[in-house]
Amino acid sequence: MSVILMQLFNGISLGSILLLVALGLAITFGQMNIINMAHGEFIMIGAYTTYVLQQVFQQHFPDAFGTYFLLAIPVAFLVAAFIGLLMEKTIVKFLYERPSDSLLATWGVSLILQQTARSIFGAPNVAVAAPEWLNGGLTLAGMTFPYKRLFILSLVLLSVLFLFIYLYRTNSGRRMKAVTMNREMASCLGVSTRKVDSTAFAIGSGLAGIAGCSLTLLGSIGPTLGTSYIVDAFMIVVLGGVGKLKGTILAAVMLGIFSTFVEFSTSATIAKMIVFAVIILFLQWKPTGFAGVRVRALD
């Protein structure tokens, strides 16, 4: 029983990491119809922002080193959001309603960002030291739950709560949902769709930065950090239902649990193949995903 519970925790933990990675993409791809292949590089930007703050605190504020990671979370969000906003203003705004072109353009941006990271930080991976209070784990009923994983779970819950409050309780969020549902009607009612697009892209990029910050707790980071997560992120958004935040959450958790249990009984490579096969079969049965809604515009 303890083995099953541990695997369930590992699955939920993996699902939470995938969800944090996919949240930003759920906005830029799901709600704006932009295939942002540079999403993984915003994860990398958030990770390197955390690394830079670590270096600053080690050299100048060693007595306050334990607090650097709490500061790194909002800073990673702001840095990634700013670079995302800059990218939207200079490149992406010319590619709305042109998903194929956005794929190629953002893929080019991703290569530029990777090379920029190599030029600044070098090609080898670098390590980010976690604060002392995140080391160790919580022991319950003979099972140990790492503090790092528990912290990431809490961070994901706070990020989802922030996103729900923003989308459903603020005027800016409601305008974003209105543009998503019917851009022409929202424009006719006085909503500045271009301003909404810029805000949405910045928030999506910022959430990717938070994901990068959290990934520094799990291992070393490098210029290609986000590349290994971008396929899973797109898969989660499509599986959950394009433009459906609740579906994205459900898809991430289910994918994490399913992948963990399959990998436990087989191997990582075979588990990946099985997961892909199951997702393909599921999308053949339900192309709109878990929470997708069939509307006349999709016919």
Side-chain angles (χ1 to χ4, degrees), residues 270-282:
I270 295 176
K272 202 74 171 178
M273 293 171 57
I274 294 174
V275 168
F276 273 120
V278 170
I279 290 174
I280 290 171
L281 291 174
F282 176 81

Side-chain angles (χ1 to χ4, degrees), residues 187-200:
S187 181
C188 290
L189 293 174
V191 176
S192 175
T193 57
R194 291 307 180 198
K195 183 177 180 180
V196 171
D197 290 338
S198 298
T199 303

Side-chain angles (χ1 to χ4, degrees), residues 33-35 95-104:
N33 199 30
I34 289 293
I35 303 177
L95 303 174
Y96 289 114
E97 307 302 328
R98 295 162 57 189
S100 299
D101 293 341
S102 69
L103 186 153
L104 291 173

